[in-house]
Amino acid sequence: MSTIAAISTPNAAGGIGIVKISGPDAISVADRVFAAVGSKKLSDLPGYSVRFGHVHDGDNELDQAVAIIYRAPKSYTGEDVVELQCHGGLYLMQQILRLCLENGAVPAEPGEFTKRAFLNGKMDLTEAESVMTLISAHGRQAADAAFGVLSGSLSGEINDIKDTFISAAAHMSAWVDYPDDEIPELDFEALKVEFTDAKSKLLSLIDNFDAGQAITEGIPTVIVGKPNVGKSTLMNLLLGRERSIVTEVAGTTRDVVEETARIGNVVLRLSDTAGIRESDDLVESIGIEYAKSKLNHSSLILAMIDGSNPLDEEDIAILEACKGKPSICILNKNDLGSTVTEKDVEAYVSKVLSISAKNKDSFEVLRESLEDILGTADFDTSAAMLINERQLNCCKKAVACIDEAISAIEMGLTMDAVNVSVDAAIEPLLELTGERVSDAVVNEVFSKFCVGK
Ligand code: GDP
């Protein structure tokens, strides 16, 4: 196993910067680049020791630093680890990292520290995945939810479900393989109840997925509407600052601006658009094409209409595009009157709101509607939750196999037949927690991490 090193603090100047080294030679690599005051070598010290000293390149002292030593297996990665805390200058940290690399370490891949923690059994795959969610959390709810998974809320739930199937499978195999022994016969009705219970736990995880994503990852959201209906004004209301340029001239919001906005418990990944009307203007057309594709790739549409003016064909075309998708129709400019009513538009969208984007109080109205439509208002962040598509797919696969097992019981099939479906249900659960998972999946999971984590 190689010894890896990386800068673990952000790629920017800061008060303190940390270069982390992990692997069998971590402490000797650190000894070559760091001299503790009092000249005691780090390799002579036990784990959890801290020493003040200097990072040096031969005779050339680079910085004062503090070295923290962790000895395997009592470290984040489960290996020997040294953290060199220096002054957080970017150039300085790059020099210190370079020194470590010249003295026996190799550069860490993205997420390699956490990957090693997973491979060394310090955490399961769901816990490892939650590290990234925790780092990128935009608010308390997201952080709470990610921390819950990191602390094992999801693994605990999945392990309980898995144990149900493992003990059923063991019992069935024993009964089939040793018919002469006094193994009690399986009560299929009781088994069906257990399987149905396990299935409903998985279904509740699956049902809460979208709300969890709204909280942790954010919902890709697009704001569409004709020019001048107030899209930029709405952006500014949601972001709480003048990010979009609000103008009186139709069609001037040409570029698509993307921003992340936290509205109550919900994180919206917002795109402002150039409107979706046809246009001959080349620059604007590029924006419009992009807007249309955004519409198809967004999970939530905020369709804006100037409610103080009658609906026209362009408004209807926009509303048509919302049909069947999670969407909110915002009848804007209600301070100027309400020519368009809720009844006129409700058939196209999931929800209709009448607001004035210019009025700051409209934020609360929007927040309530968003939490309502996304199901985040009562979201329990301490409960187990799925944090990505990989986990979601594992649960869906398990549910399909449980369904097969239940129908095998209902049809009165042999125990062997039930057992095949039970075994098949265990597989995706083992994959979810990472107990039985291919290298390709593991590499894919950690490739999304940042270097240094
Ligand atoms: P966009 O082209 O859709 O981005 O529209 P803008 O946000 O640039 O708004 C166009 C014009 O409508 C600006 O002059 C805004 O100040 C105005 N506007 C936006 N929302 C409201 C509203 O709720 N009430 C009124 N009276 N004017 C608004």
Side-chain angles (χ1 to χ4, degrees), residues 16-54:
I16 291 174
I18 298 176
V19 173
K20 188 147 127 180
I21 316 165
S22 178
D25 299 329
I27 299 174
S28 53
V29 168
D31 261 334
R32 279 174 228 135
V33 303
F34 175 87
V37 168
S39 72
K40 197 162 191 185
K41 281 191 151 310
L42 300 180
S43 37
D44 295 332
L45 298 170
Y48 300 142
S49 303
V50 180
R51 284 293 180 275
F52 175 74
H54 294 92

Side-chain angles (χ1 to χ4, degrees), residues 24-315:
D25 299 329
I27 299 174
S28 53
V29 168
D31 261 334
R32 279 174 228 135
V33 303
F34 175 87
V37 168
S39 72
K40 197 162 191 185
K41 281 191 151 310
L42 300 180
S43 37
D44 295 332
L45 298 170
Y48 300 142
S49 303
V50 180
R51 284 293 180 275
F52 175 74
H54 294 92
V55 177
H56 60 87
D57 183 1
D59 294 335
N60 183 17
E61 279 185 5
L62 265 74
D63 192 15
Q64 297 173 329
V66 170
I68 304 177
I69 303 157
Y70 304 83
R71 292 218 177 244
K74 293 183 176 175
S75 72
Y76 182 77
T77 55
E79 304 172 329
D80 282 353
V81 169
V82 178
E83 283 177 11
L84 293 174
Q85 299 196 353
C86 12
H87 290 107
L90 207 49
Y91 170 78
L92 189 62
M93 287 198 294
Q94 279 160 356
Q95 291 304 302
I96 295 172
L97 174 61
R98 184 185 55 79
L99 266 184
C100 294
L101 300 181
E102 284 170 3
N103 282 281
V106 295
E109 303 276 328
E112 197 170 355
F113 292 101
T114 310
K115 183 178 178 179
R116 288 183 176 206
F118 163 67
L119 294 174
N120 289 327
K122 299 295 283 188
M123 52 177 81
D124 76 10
L125 203 52
T126 66
E127 290 160 0
E129 286 171 315
S130 69
V131 170
M132 213 44 212
T133 312
L134 187 59
I135 292 172
S136 53
H138 291 282
R140 211 192 81 201
Q141 283 248 336
D144 283 355
F147 186 68
V149 179
L150 179 61
S151 310
S153 62
L154 178 60
S155 326
E157 177 103 350
I158 296 297
N159 285 334
D160 284 350
I161 297 170
K162 201 175 57 198
D163 288 348
T164 304
F165 290 105
I166 289 177
S167 67
H171 194 156
M172 281 190 268
S173 304
W175 203 80
V176 171
D177 293 345
Y178 307 102
D180 299 334
D181 291 356
E182 291 197 352
I183 293 165
E185 196 168 341
L186 269 177
D187 175 350
F188 274 116
E189 272 316 302
L191 212 53
K192 196 175 136 189
V193 171
E194 273 186 40
F195 289 1
T196 309
D197 180 50
K199 178 183 156 184
S200 74
K201 283 183 184 151
L202 287 172
L203 284 180
S204 116
L205 285 172
I206 293 170
D207 288 346
N208 277 328
F209 179 71
D210 286 339
Q213 287 285 292
I215 288 172
T216 55
E217 294 293 309
I219 296 285
T221 305
V222 68
I223 301 175
V224 289
K226 285 186 312 187
N228 251 8
V229 293
K231 298 181 298 295
S232 308
T233 312
L234 177 72
M235 274 289 262
N236 293 337
L237 176 75
L238 293 174
L239 298 168
R241 64 202 142 102
E242 298 285 314
R243 176 62 180 81
S244 303
I245 302 151
V246 182
T247 68
E248 299 266 1
V249 188
T252 44
T253 315
R254 284 178 174 165
D255 298 325
V256 175
V257 215
E258 288 203 316
E259 291 269 356
T260 299
R262 191 159 67 83
I263 295 120
N265 292 332
V266 179
V267 175
L268 296 185
R269 300 208 327 254
L270 281 169
S271 310
D272 193 358
T273 74
I276 59 166
R277 65 172 193 171
E278 298 307 318
S279 167
D280 296 333
D281 181 305
L282 184 64
V283 183
E284 191 165 293
S285 303
I286 294 167
I288 288 167
E289 277 314 306
Y290 187 55
K292 279 185 180 166
S293 99
K294 271 296 216 191
L295 200 73
N296 292 330
H297 292 104
S298 293
S299 307
L300 176 68
I301 304 171
L302 303 180
M304 212 168 191
I305 281 170
D306 178 350
S308 68
N309 277 315
L311 280 182
D312 65 13
E313 276 178 21
E314 289 178 61
D315 292 320

Side-chain angles (χ1 to χ4, degrees), residues 322-432:
C322 295
K323 271 192 175 164
K325 297 179 183 148
S327 47
I328 301 180
C329 174
I330 298 174
L331 300 174
N332 192 31
K333 308 196 187 183
N334 70 0
D335 54 314
L336 301 179
S338 296
T339 309
V340 185
T341 66
E342 190 165 320
K343 279 217 162 332
D344 298 330
V345 295
E346 65 187 7
Y348 299 97
V349 291
S350 329
K351 198 164 182 89
V352 185
L353 288 183
S354 172
I355 63 160
S356 165
K358 274 189 155 179
N359 181 347
K360 298 267 180 286
D361 295 341
S362 300
F363 187 90
E364 272 305 296
V365 180
L366 270 162
R367 182 188 63 74
E368 274 175 25
S369 298
L370 284 167
E371 296 205 334
D372 184 33
I373 192 174
L374 298 169
T376 52
D378 307 316
F379 194 83
D380 177 6
T381 48
S382 62
M385 67 176 274
L386 303 171
I387 53 174
N388 56 35
E389 295 277 344
R390 185 193 77 80
Q391 298 177 355
L392 178 70
N393 286 333
C394 289
C395 282
K396 284 183 175 169
K397 275 191 218 158
V399 167
C401 300
I402 297 171
D403 276 337
E404 279 172 23
I406 293 174
S407 30
I409 294 175
E410 285 170 348
M411 287 191 291
L413 296 186
T414 62
M415 216 175 275
D416 271 346
V418 179
N419 212 356
V420 168
S421 300
V422 168
D423 277 342
I426 294 170
E427 276 308 308
L429 298 176
L430 289 170
E431 189 178 324
L432 205 167

